[in-house]
Amino acid sequence: MTKILSSENLCKYFGGVRAVDQVDFSVDKGEIFGIIGPNGAGKTTLFNLLTGTLGVTKGKIYFKDGEITNLPPQKVTRLGIARTFQNIKLFEEMEVLENVKIGFHTQTKTNMLDAVLKNNKLKEDEEKVHLEGLKLLERVNMLDKKNNLAKNLSYGDKRRLEIARALAVKPEILLVDEPAAGMNPHETDEVVELLEQLNKEGITVVIIEHDMKVIMGMCDEILVLNNGVKLAQGTAAEVQKNPEVIEAYLGK
Amino acid sequence: MFGFYLSQLFNGITQGSIYALMAIGYSLIFGTLGLVTFAYGDIVIFGVFVGYYFYAVLGLNLILAMLLALPITFLFGVLVEKICYEKFRKEARMLMLITTVGFGIFLRSASQIIFGTGNKSIPTLIEGKIEIGNLNILYIQLGIIIFTLIFIYALRYFLNNTRTGIGIRALSMDQDAAKLVGVNVDKSIKFGHSLGVVLGVFGGIMLGSFYNAISPMMGPNLGLKAFTAVVLGGITSIPGAVIGGYILGIMENLAVAVFSSGYRDVVAFIILIIVLVVKPSGLFGKEVKF
Amino acid sequence: MLKAEDLKIHYGHVEAVKGISFEVEAGEIVTIIGSNGAGKSSTLRGISNIEDKAGGKVIFQGEDITSLPAHEIVDKGICHVPEGRHIFSQLTVEENLYMGSYSKTDQTKAEYQDKLARMYDIFPRLKERRNQDGGNLSGGEQQMLAIARGLMMDPVIMMLDEPSLGLAPLLVEQIIKLIKEINEDLGTTILLVEQNARKALSIAHRGYVMETGNIIMSDRREKLINDPKLAEAYLGVG
Amino acid sequence: AEDTVKIGLSAPITGNYAEFGENFQYSVEIAADRINANGGIRGREVEIIVRNSEGKPNVAASIAQEFVQNKEIVAEIGDFTSTSCLAAAPIYERNQMVQLSPTSSHPDFARSGEFMFGIVGTQAAEGPFNAEYIAKEYLGIDSVAVIYINNDWGVSTMENFVAAAEKVGLEVTGTEAFFGGETDFSAILTNVKQNNPEGVYIAAMYNEASQVVNQIDRMEWDVAKLAPSSVFSEQFLKLSGESGEGLVTNTFFALEDPKEKVQSFIAEFRERADRNPNLHAAVAYDSMMLLADAIERAGFDRVAIRDALAETENFEGVTGTIEFTDVGDVVRSYMIMEVKDGDWVVQEDYR
Amino acid sequence: MAANIFEKIITNINKNKLKYIFLLIIVLLILPFVVENQYVLHIAVLTLMYVLLSSSLNVIVGYTGQYNIGHVAFYAIGAYTAAIISTRFNLNFIIVILISGFVASLFSLMLGIPTLRLRGIFFAFTTLGFAEITRLTILNWRSLTRGPFGIPGVPIPQIFGMRLSTNTHFYFMIFILLFLMLLMTYRIINSRVGRAWISIREDEQASASMGVDTFKYKIMNLMYGTFWAGVGGAFFAYFAGYVSADSFILDESFRFFAMVLVGGTGTLAGPILGGAVLTILPQVFRSFARYQMIIYGVAILLIIHYKPEGLLGGRTFKRDLSESEDN
Ligand SMILES: Nc1ncnc2c1ncn2[C@@H]1O[C@H](COP(=O)(O)OP(=O)(O)OP(=O)(O)O)[C@@H](O)[C@H]1O
Ligand SMILES: Nc1ncnc2c1ncn2[C@@H]1O[C@H](COP(=O)(O)OP(=O)(O)OP(=O)(O)O)[C@@H](O)[C@H]1O
Ligand SMILES: [Mg+2]
Ligand SMILES: [Mg+2]
């Protein structure tokens, strides 16, 4: 297995709050990697650091062979890292299909002049984006809603659309933040299925989730954070047995 | 030469203290309540004219007339809130920009018709001065500074320590949540807004009395200056707004002293932009989501 | 104690709640379950009147509160902990808790301090963060704060909208237990909306099931838990 | 109605210059009523079409377009500011209709076309008068600072005064500009005072000029104050109170003027506006009368009106005798006025 | 009642969009030949010019959510550039108009680089300040701009030896410019670039996460919008033959903003209607003289009260301009 994403002594402080404190971890290519921890442990903050949404206080982040510490989000995305947000962030006033099309931004080249001239480059790009966009919507079972405004979707659909949009980036690694939050068991199963399917197709998945059924059922490896500090990293079985993890997070 | 700069500095402080006084009410309405307003100057001047009307037309005692204007402008503030904001509380703030611009145009023109088009003179409320060395300090100037200080502390106390005040702060962050803990959102917004208006009118009266002149057309410029002071100091901070006012006054006057009088406002706005670029939340403000 | 009759809520052309009726008896824990977009949150928002109702009536302790303004409904002792937390982001944790007692005008300082201490007992995490702005808390911390803020009101009835959303497992247990305790120890009536139906039913006395704006089922908890259709759609296996 | 003569009036009825526009409207209407009472022009009643230019040049241009399009309108009076007049000028010129501005004193205005006329006298004439006769001779000062409003009128007033001052050996110690609507003049006064001039020339309308003298007074600065005719108004006295004492200006219209036509105009104006007319009001009145005179001679053709207007000889208005120069300006003769005991008092007559 | 009819008309228009657009273009093309009243034509020219200006603002405010309330600055820069160049050099007016657009665009780049990372209302403050700085600089820099005197004598534009001096000529000039602008904007909006702009409006953080270089696209957007403001200004300079700073006060900026909001943001049609309504309305009310501005103010308030999303608006502004935080 080769490392795809890793950090070294990663820290993020907000004034006195050490949201992420000296975290070392690494994700192997092709696995499903879970991140758990009590509320406020620093999981979302970690995602924000990895994707360039927040600048790091200290430490380094590596993606494949290069360092990506403090790269701006759009560059990180270009390298092949896509994410979803804990608080769903869709382009609310845009149609579902348009939301997905934006995901193809990095893979198309049309510039303003092309658009004005309506040349072949524009036509090719638009055609490609349209077709592939529809394909992605089909994958997440949302083809029938392609012309709805994103804001009018139900919660579960919004989550699915966010994943579809992230997939449009053609990521090597996908970071999802609590994809099953607010879903009923039935809907949760659908999301799990989708993520597992993606993983089979070769996308590395990093998932934050509080639903232990989801985490324990599908993760190859789990990182446990507590108060910004790494508590443990290991397989589901290892983590579940770890007394510190039980004490801090799992209970019983 | 030194004396020259000293007196320009003093001019700046004088003018700054007026900006500062005007900025307090603006800061309450705009910074704390989050109500965008570009009619503030017009509303303030309207309020001062109400006082002027009592004094000059109805012949009341000057101080009485001005005091009488305050409760009336409080009620007027309620009306303004109803017209410009009530329906748009859940809408984008940019709509308020247009409603207040529209209302400002309306009020300014109406004032010209009601009160006449020309400048009007208001006598000084408190006559007299003290001399310190070469400097003459008028009582009215001292009054302005003292009231500014009183208002900062009173308003701070109000917002941090009284029930209504904390309610106003809370509703400015999340109106639904405020309702759900029992804040009468409608009344609180109206109250806060009117309080801001009254503070502004009070400032306007001091200003009119200091310069001995008011005109319906003074509104926009006045509003723009109060606005600049508030943004400069940081929209969330009331003391910041006051300091912003002083900085603005001093910078403008030094600009006149050092460059030329034509560049007075240019300098003010350049400083505004620089401050925003370097510290978007203003000199003393907290980072807010606006 | 709380009764809704033919409640309707519309958003433009969307009919989110299509005329539902239900009631909650004093001392009960009643849960409303249903999939996303069923209209559960809208129902609660309609009761506390932060959303305009298109029709229907709400009766509380025999009094018609249908069109009372939201803050007066709070005064009556109805507390609504909304979905999505709605923390006052630039107030500190402690100020947020103070806001919870906003409607308690007749309460003494000592009583207030007492209650505050109790909240910090229940949620030690909040005590650690007491001077931090609410907006900078993590999702779960905010959820705790929202519940604690509601409890500060000493409500007669507490309407909780998905209180377990985004919480760590340990906390979900805690909160479910807490709700039961509030109900049993303080006698607070509870109306609980939950996505986590199994957990909700484990403490509820009765439940309603909503689907696309209608109540499609209502029964005592034992019956609901054992209903096969329900189990498949909402409870999940295991 | 069909049988009226229509005259367009373009004036700032709202906005910053509203009080001046209002004066225009009062005066022109008084003049029209008077003409109509005397049987109109060539038997037709005069009708004034008022349009609000808001003090904006682009709006003045639109109004010009409306007026020239309306075939019943034979000539236009207005606008107030030189910029508005200049913006409208090409349209009037192209469509061959007279634009008679009561107040544009910019030397370029009347030159900008055959159909452009200004009757207030240009700064090219007033500047030298103020420098030579008011400053040097009447006040007997050798140095002066200039405070001027930074608009077209203010700058041209300042420039013409400064140029004339240099010629007559009056030292200009400094010039300071301010923008319209300013209330605080302490900074520029402090600047100006630093060079110790003997006098201050205040190139401003009466609103700001009264503020300036107030603040000079507050600084306890004993300096000679002089200003162009724009300050000559009752408003100035009201707004400046005691601090206006001793300010000197010129005018070619005086309330004391015993002539019957002047007194009856003043009486009528007082009746309608509840105040005394100022210089701007008086020139607006004369503008209407001048046009009536020209139309009486020429008939209702726009071009003929222009020619008749240009040929006007020895027209006796309330502001003195009016005759146009080749370019369409009027050369004025001035009186010196000073504020004494809270009133405007004529000191010397250069008529 | 009237409201109802209006709604019906709007839905009808939305249904048969293409037909109506075509119809509108035909009507606009025929207009100058049937209308003989020069005043009406003059107002028609102004209306199209304001539509161009408000549409150019809409690109910035409506599509990318950048609250530029100092748009008048770029209009002024365009107008002055055209006036200065055309009175000093003998250049074809088309070139002058292009240059003016680019100069305005360049200034927006200068303003944008330091200020674009500011969010929502804070960006708005800086544009407001910039508008005032621009106006005051024009007034102060007398050697270049003639200060408060303005620049008269902007030459009459010529093409193929023909002098374009009548209202009809100017009508077609602005019609072509507007047509080009709307066509280009339509195409851009429906391309990758436009999508990126809109995504920034909707959620800047999410947009960056999709790989959009938000800073670059915001700059591009600002430059594109201000280019057309500059073009509008240059047109104005030729049309009026005279520019002066009095035409470029802050009120004018608010007027553009009102046009966009009254019509409906983020749609092509909205600012067209808004621009037309708010240009024609004051002309209609001009004969009310002193009551004119009162009516104007009330009209704006009424429209916004009646339809907060704008007459043709479908989408509404976000309540908070930068509510997007990460957790
Ligand atoms: N901008 C900020 N300023 C100050 N503190 C912050 C900020 N953002 C996050 N924090 C703090 O950092 C800690 C970690 O927050 P984070 O959102 O990463 O938690 P989390 O593990 O995702 O929790 P949850 O499971 O509840 O989503 C929290 O205690 C939070 O209060
Ligand atoms: N402000 C709004 N505007 C338009 N439609 C809305 C609005 N709020 C809710 N809706 C719609 O009303 C319906 C009911 O929504 P509601 O939030 O009440 O559902 P819910 O049962 O609480 O779902 P969830 O479990 O996802 O919270 C949904 O279809 C939703 O899309
Ligand atoms: Mg999180
Ligand atoms: Mg819900």
Side-chain angles (χ1 to χ4, degrees), chain B residues 83 87 91-94 98 227 262 277 290, chain E residues 67 117 125 140 261 293 305 317 319-321:
Chain B
I83 295 173
K87 198 177 167 199
E91 312 268 352
R93 288 203 166 90
M94 281 299 141
I98 291 308
F227 165 87
V277 167
F290 216 103
Chain E
Y67 294 105
R117 64 188 185 87
F125 298 154
N140 281 318
L261 285 189
M293 295 316 278
H305 267 262
F317 270 105
R319 163 86 179 111
D320 286 301
L321 306 172

PDB file of all heavy atoms in Angstrom, chain B residues 83 87 91-94 98 227 262 277 290, chain E residues 67 117 125 140 261 293 305 317 319-321:
ATOM      1  N   ILE B  83     -41.443  51.313   7.302  1.00  0.00           N
ATOM      2  CA  ILE B  83     -41.379  51.487   5.852  1.00  0.00           C
ATOM      3  C   ILE B  83     -40.147  50.805   5.254  1.00  0.00           C
ATOM      4  O   ILE B  83     -40.232  50.125   4.247  1.00  0.00           O
ATOM      5  CB  ILE B  83     -41.365  52.991   5.493  1.00  0.00           C
ATOM      6  CG1 ILE B  83     -42.692  53.624   5.897  1.00  0.00           C
ATOM      7  CG2 ILE B  83     -41.097  53.186   4.017  1.00  0.00           C
ATOM      8  CD1 ILE B  83     -42.716  55.125   5.748  1.00  0.00           C
ATOM      9  N   LYS B  87     -40.692  44.746   6.537  1.00  0.00           N
ATOM     10  CA  LYS B  87     -41.030  43.679   5.607  1.00  0.00           C
ATOM     11  C   LYS B  87     -39.788  42.926   5.114  1.00  0.00           C
ATOM     12  O   LYS B  87     -39.885  41.843   4.556  1.00  0.00           O
ATOM     13  CB  LYS B  87     -41.763  44.293   4.413  1.00  0.00           C
ATOM     14  CG  LYS B  87     -42.530  43.265   3.623  1.00  0.00           C
ATOM     15  CD  LYS B  87     -43.310  43.868   2.490  1.00  0.00           C
ATOM     16  CE  LYS B  87     -43.779  42.722   1.588  1.00  0.00           C
ATOM     17  NZ  LYS B  87     -44.153  43.192   0.276  1.00  0.00           N
ATOM     18  N   GLU B  91     -35.112  39.279   4.348  1.00  0.00           N
ATOM     19  CA  GLU B  91     -34.563  39.370   3.000  1.00  0.00           C
ATOM     20  C   GLU B  91     -33.106  39.826   3.055  1.00  0.00           C
ATOM     21  O   GLU B  91     -32.571  40.109   4.115  1.00  0.00           O
ATOM     22  CB  GLU B  91     -35.368  40.382   2.167  1.00  0.00           C
ATOM     23  CG  GLU B  91     -36.852  40.199   2.242  1.00  0.00           C
ATOM     24  CD  GLU B  91     -37.390  39.305   1.127  1.00  0.00           C
ATOM     25  OE1 GLU B  91     -36.617  38.966   0.226  1.00  0.00           O
ATOM     26  OE2 GLU B  91     -38.572  38.944   1.187  1.00  0.00           O
ATOM     27  N   ALA B  92     -32.532  39.923   1.869  1.00  0.00           N
ATOM     28  CA  ALA B  92     -31.140  40.343   1.805  1.00  0.00           C
ATOM     29  C   ALA B  92     -30.985  41.772   2.293  1.00  0.00           C
ATOM     30  O   ALA B  92     -31.857  42.615   2.096  1.00  0.00           O
ATOM     31  CB  ALA B  92     -30.644  40.239   0.374  1.00  0.00           C
ATOM     32  N   ARG B  93     -29.860  42.023   2.920  1.00  0.00           N
ATOM     33  CA  ARG B  93     -29.630  43.370   3.453  1.00  0.00           C
ATOM     34  C   ARG B  93     -29.539  44.414   2.353  1.00  0.00           C
ATOM     35  O   ARG B  93     -29.784  45.582   2.577  1.00  0.00           O
ATOM     36  CB  ARG B  93     -28.346  43.379   4.276  1.00  0.00           C
ATOM     37  CG  ARG B  93     -28.501  42.645   5.577  1.00  0.00           C
ATOM     38  CD  ARG B  93     -27.470  43.133   6.580  1.00  0.00           C
ATOM     39  NE  ARG B  93     -27.800  42.680   7.903  1.00  0.00           N
ATOM     40  CZ  ARG B  93     -27.359  41.526   8.408  1.00  0.00           C
ATOM     41  NH1 ARG B  93     -26.594  40.741   7.701  1.00  0.00           N
ATOM     42  NH2 ARG B  93     -27.693  41.175   9.630  1.00  0.00           N
ATOM     43  N   MET B  94     -29.169  43.967   1.146  1.00  0.00           N
ATOM     44  CA  MET B  94     -28.988  44.944   0.082  1.00  0.00           C
ATOM     45  C   MET B  94     -30.313  45.617  -0.290  1.00  0.00           C
ATOM     46  O   MET B  94     -30.323  46.715  -0.825  1.00  0.00           O
ATOM     47  CB  MET B  94     -28.379  44.279  -1.144  1.00  0.00           C
ATOM     48  CG  MET B  94     -26.897  44.077  -1.001  1.00  0.00           C
ATOM     49  SD  MET B  94     -26.048  45.662  -0.784  1.00  0.00           S
ATOM     50  CE  MET B  94     -24.826  45.205   0.423  1.00  0.00           C
ATOM     51  N   ILE B  98     -31.611  49.955  -0.856  1.00  0.00           N
ATOM     52  CA  ILE B  98     -32.482  50.651  -1.793  1.00  0.00           C
ATOM     53  C   ILE B  98     -33.683  51.276  -1.092  1.00  0.00           C
ATOM     54  O   ILE B  98     -34.067  52.407  -1.393  1.00  0.00           O
ATOM     55  CB  ILE B  98     -32.917  49.701  -2.932  1.00  0.00           C
ATOM     56  CG1 ILE B  98     -31.715  49.400  -3.804  1.00  0.00           C
ATOM     57  CG2 ILE B  98     -34.013  50.310  -3.771  1.00  0.00           C
ATOM     58  CD1 ILE B  98     -30.967  50.614  -4.297  1.00  0.00           C
ATOM     59  N   PHE B 227     -21.260  57.226   8.529  1.00  0.00           N
ATOM     60  CA  PHE B 227     -21.023  55.897   7.975  1.00  0.00           C
ATOM     61  C   PHE B 227     -19.519  55.593   7.915  1.00  0.00           C
ATOM     62  O   PHE B 227     -19.057  54.548   8.365  1.00  0.00           O
ATOM     63  CB  PHE B 227     -21.652  55.872   6.580  1.00  0.00           C
ATOM     64  CG  PHE B 227     -21.237  54.742   5.691  1.00  0.00           C
ATOM     65  CD1 PHE B 227     -21.910  53.539   5.740  1.00  0.00           C
ATOM     66  CD2 PHE B 227     -20.208  54.898   4.778  1.00  0.00           C
ATOM     67  CE1 PHE B 227     -21.545  52.494   4.900  1.00  0.00           C
ATOM     68  CE2 PHE B 227     -19.834  53.876   3.941  1.00  0.00           C
ATOM     69  CZ  PHE B 227     -20.503  52.662   4.004  1.00  0.00           C
ATOM     70  N   GLY B 262      -8.936  70.704  -1.356  1.00  0.00           N
ATOM     71  CA  GLY B 262      -9.715  69.897  -2.286  1.00  0.00           C
ATOM     72  C   GLY B 262      -9.610  68.410  -2.000  1.00  0.00           C
ATOM     73  O   GLY B 262     -10.474  67.631  -2.363  1.00  0.00           O
ATOM     74  N   VAL B 277      -8.776  47.234   3.895  1.00  0.00           N
ATOM     75  CA  VAL B 277      -7.939  46.217   3.267  1.00  0.00           C
ATOM     76  C   VAL B 277      -7.024  45.567   4.300  1.00  0.00           C
ATOM     77  O   VAL B 277      -6.862  44.351   4.329  1.00  0.00           O
ATOM     78  CB  VAL B 277      -7.115  46.841   2.118  1.00  0.00           C
ATOM     79  CG1 VAL B 277      -6.026  45.896   1.670  1.00  0.00           C
ATOM     80  CG2 VAL B 277      -8.030  47.187   0.954  1.00  0.00           C
ATOM     81  N   PHE B 290     -21.441  39.430   7.735  1.00  0.00           N
ATOM     82  CA  PHE B 290     -22.425  40.460   7.419  1.00  0.00           C
ATOM     83  C   PHE B 290     -22.963  40.232   6.026  1.00  0.00           C
ATOM     84  O   PHE B 290     -22.216  40.025   5.123  1.00  0.00           O
ATOM     85  CB  PHE B 290     -21.771  41.839   7.510  1.00  0.00           C
ATOM     86  CG  PHE B 290     -22.702  42.871   8.048  1.00  0.00           C
ATOM     87  CD1 PHE B 290     -22.584  43.308   9.358  1.00  0.00           C
ATOM     88  CD2 PHE B 290     -23.710  43.370   7.256  1.00  0.00           C
ATOM     89  CE1 PHE B 290     -23.437  44.251   9.860  1.00  0.00           C
ATOM     90  CE2 PHE B 290     -24.572  44.310   7.764  1.00  0.00           C
ATOM     91  CZ  PHE B 290     -24.438  44.757   9.058  1.00  0.00           C
TER      92      PHE B 290
ATOM     93  N   TYR E  67     -20.969  43.199  -4.104  1.00  0.00           N
ATOM     94  CA  TYR E  67     -21.809  44.373  -3.917  1.00  0.00           C
ATOM     95  C   TYR E  67     -21.086  45.658  -4.243  1.00  0.00           C
ATOM     96  O   TYR E  67     -20.583  46.358  -3.382  1.00  0.00           O
ATOM     97  CB  TYR E  67     -22.410  44.379  -2.519  1.00  0.00           C
ATOM     98  CG  TYR E  67     -23.352  43.238  -2.389  1.00  0.00           C
ATOM     99  CD1 TYR E  67     -23.029  42.102  -1.674  1.00  0.00           C
ATOM    100  CD2 TYR E  67     -24.555  43.273  -3.078  1.00  0.00           C
ATOM    101  CE1 TYR E  67     -23.893  41.026  -1.624  1.00  0.00           C
ATOM    102  CE2 TYR E  67     -25.416  42.203  -3.036  1.00  0.00           C
ATOM    103  CZ  TYR E  67     -25.086  41.087  -2.310  1.00  0.00           C
ATOM    104  OH  TYR E  67     -25.937  40.032  -2.276  1.00  0.00           O
ATOM    105  N   ARG E 117     -10.813  40.478  -1.724  1.00  0.00           N
ATOM    106  CA  ARG E 117     -10.947  39.408  -0.748  1.00  0.00           C
ATOM    107  C   ARG E 117     -11.905  39.820   0.369  1.00  0.00           C
ATOM    108  O   ARG E 117     -12.324  39.012   1.179  1.00  0.00           O
ATOM    109  CB  ARG E 117      -9.584  39.018  -0.191  1.00  0.00           C
ATOM    110  CG  ARG E 117      -8.950  40.127   0.568  1.00  0.00           C
ATOM    111  CD  ARG E 117      -7.521  39.830   0.956  1.00  0.00           C
ATOM    112  NE  ARG E 117      -7.056  40.926   1.793  1.00  0.00           N
ATOM    113  CZ  ARG E 117      -7.226  40.961   3.092  1.00  0.00           C
ATOM    114  NH1 ARG E 117      -7.813  39.974   3.714  1.00  0.00           N
ATOM    115  NH2 ARG E 117      -6.791  41.994   3.792  1.00  0.00           N
ATOM    116  N   PHE E 125     -18.366  48.909   0.873  1.00  0.00           N
ATOM    117  CA  PHE E 125     -17.815  50.149   1.432  1.00  0.00           C
ATOM    118  C   PHE E 125     -16.673  50.681   0.568  1.00  0.00           C
ATOM    119  O   PHE E 125     -16.573  51.866   0.311  1.00  0.00           O
ATOM    120  CB  PHE E 125     -17.238  49.927   2.836  1.00  0.00           C
ATOM    121  CG  PHE E 125     -18.251  49.482   3.844  1.00  0.00           C
ATOM    122  CD1 PHE E 125     -17.848  48.750   4.956  1.00  0.00           C
ATOM    123  CD2 PHE E 125     -19.586  49.790   3.699  1.00  0.00           C
ATOM    124  CE1 PHE E 125     -18.772  48.335   5.900  1.00  0.00           C
ATOM    125  CE2 PHE E 125     -20.515  49.375   4.633  1.00  0.00           C
ATOM    126  CZ  PHE E 125     -20.103  48.646   5.733  1.00  0.00           C
ATOM    127  N   ASN E 140     -10.659  67.858  -8.712  1.00  0.00           N
ATOM    128  CA  ASN E 140      -9.422  68.503  -8.286  1.00  0.00           C
ATOM    129  C   ASN E 140      -8.346  68.587  -9.361  1.00  0.00           C
ATOM    130  O   ASN E 140      -7.530  69.486  -9.352  1.00  0.00           O
ATOM    131  CB  ASN E 140      -8.832  67.755  -7.087  1.00  0.00           C
ATOM    132  CG  ASN E 140      -9.539  68.123  -5.801  1.00  0.00           C
ATOM    133  OD1 ASN E 140      -9.833  69.288  -5.571  1.00  0.00           O
ATOM    134  ND2 ASN E 140      -9.829  67.136  -4.987  1.00  0.00           N
ATOM    135  N   LEU E 261     -32.139  46.113  -8.714  1.00  0.00           N
ATOM    136  CA  LEU E 261     -33.002  45.472  -7.727  1.00  0.00           C
ATOM    137  C   LEU E 261     -34.475  45.557  -8.116  1.00  0.00           C
ATOM    138  O   LEU E 261     -35.231  44.611  -7.926  1.00  0.00           O
ATOM    139  CB  LEU E 261     -32.809  46.117  -6.352  1.00  0.00           C
ATOM    140  CG  LEU E 261     -31.522  45.753  -5.624  1.00  0.00           C
ATOM    141  CD1 LEU E 261     -31.561  46.285  -4.206  1.00  0.00           C
ATOM    142  CD2 LEU E 261     -31.306  44.264  -5.595  1.00  0.00           C
ATOM    143  N   MET E 293     -39.254  64.417  -7.088  1.00  0.00           N
ATOM    144  CA  MET E 293     -38.384  63.492  -6.382  1.00  0.00           C
ATOM    145  C   MET E 293     -39.145  62.734  -5.299  1.00  0.00           C
ATOM    146  O   MET E 293     -38.819  61.595  -4.974  1.00  0.00           O
ATOM    147  CB  MET E 293     -37.196  64.228  -5.771  1.00  0.00           C
ATOM    148  CG  MET E 293     -36.258  64.838  -6.788  1.00  0.00           C
ATOM    149  SD  MET E 293     -35.900  63.743  -8.167  1.00  0.00           S
ATOM    150  CE  MET E 293     -34.623  62.732  -7.448  1.00  0.00           C
ATOM    151  N   HIS E 305     -41.586  47.130  -2.083  1.00  0.00           N
ATOM    152  CA  HIS E 305     -42.537  46.517  -1.159  1.00  0.00           C
ATOM    153  C   HIS E 305     -43.402  45.484  -1.860  1.00  0.00           C
ATOM    154  O   HIS E 305     -43.681  44.417  -1.336  1.00  0.00           O
ATOM    155  CB  HIS E 305     -43.444  47.595  -0.540  1.00  0.00           C
ATOM    156  CG  HIS E 305     -42.920  48.106   0.757  1.00  0.00           C
ATOM    157  ND1 HIS E 305     -43.365  47.639   1.966  1.00  0.00           N
ATOM    158  CD2 HIS E 305     -41.954  48.994   1.040  1.00  0.00           C
ATOM    159  CE1 HIS E 305     -42.707  48.248   2.935  1.00  0.00           C
ATOM    160  NE2 HIS E 305     -41.836  49.081   2.397  1.00  0.00           N
ATOM    161  N   PHE E 317     -31.824  37.537  -3.121  1.00  0.00           N
ATOM    162  CA  PHE E 317     -30.488  37.633  -2.549  1.00  0.00           C
ATOM    163  C   PHE E 317     -30.389  36.751  -1.330  1.00  0.00           C
ATOM    164  O   PHE E 317     -31.366  36.485  -0.657  1.00  0.00           O
ATOM    165  CB  PHE E 317     -30.247  39.058  -2.064  1.00  0.00           C
ATOM    166  CG  PHE E 317     -29.667  39.941  -3.088  1.00  0.00           C
ATOM    167  CD1 PHE E 317     -30.434  40.887  -3.715  1.00  0.00           C
ATOM    168  CD2 PHE E 317     -28.330  39.829  -3.409  1.00  0.00           C
ATOM    169  CE1 PHE E 317     -29.898  41.727  -4.656  1.00  0.00           C
ATOM    170  CE2 PHE E 317     -27.784  40.671  -4.347  1.00  0.00           C
ATOM    171  CZ  PHE E 317     -28.562  41.618  -4.973  1.00  0.00           C
ATOM    172  N   ARG E 319     -29.746  36.245   2.419  1.00  0.00           N
ATOM    173  CA  ARG E 319     -29.926  37.128   3.562  1.00  0.00           C
ATOM    174  C   ARG E 319     -28.573  37.640   4.042  1.00  0.00           C
ATOM    175  O   ARG E 319     -28.340  38.817   4.191  1.00  0.00           O
ATOM    176  CB  ARG E 319     -30.628  36.363   4.672  1.00  0.00           C
ATOM    177  CG  ARG E 319     -30.519  37.002   6.029  1.00  0.00           C
ATOM    178  CD  ARG E 319     -31.615  38.034   6.217  1.00  0.00           C
ATOM    179  NE  ARG E 319     -31.533  38.628   7.541  1.00  0.00           N
ATOM    180  CZ  ARG E 319     -31.181  39.873   7.754  1.00  0.00           C
ATOM    181  NH1 ARG E 319     -30.865  40.649   6.761  1.00  0.00           N
ATOM    182  NH2 ARG E 319     -31.151  40.357   8.968  1.00  0.00           N
ATOM    183  N   ASP E 320     -27.682  36.721   4.292  1.00  0.00           N
ATOM    184  CA  ASP E 320     -26.379  37.143   4.768  1.00  0.00           C
ATOM    185  C   ASP E 320     -25.370  36.910   3.683  1.00  0.00           C
ATOM    186  O   ASP E 320     -25.399  35.921   2.986  1.00  0.00           O
ATOM    187  CB  ASP E 320     -25.998  36.377   6.032  1.00  0.00           C
ATOM    188  CG  ASP E 320     -26.799  36.892   7.206  1.00  0.00           C
ATOM    189  OD1 ASP E 320     -26.696  38.082   7.491  1.00  0.00           O
ATOM    190  OD2 ASP E 320     -27.533  36.093   7.798  1.00  0.00           O
ATOM    191  N   LEU E 321     -24.481  37.858   3.583  1.00  0.00           N
ATOM    192  CA  LEU E 321     -23.635  37.862   2.407  1.00  0.00           C
ATOM    193  C   LEU E 321     -22.516  36.854   2.499  1.00  0.00           C
ATOM    194  O   LEU E 321     -21.993  36.408   1.523  1.00  0.00           O
ATOM    195  CB  LEU E 321     -23.069  39.264   2.220  1.00  0.00           C
ATOM    196  CG  LEU E 321     -24.192  40.288   2.173  1.00  0.00           C
ATOM    197  CD1 LEU E 321     -23.647  41.677   2.181  1.00  0.00           C
ATOM    198  CD2 LEU E 321     -25.030  40.052   0.945  1.00  0.00           C
TER     199      LEU E 321
END
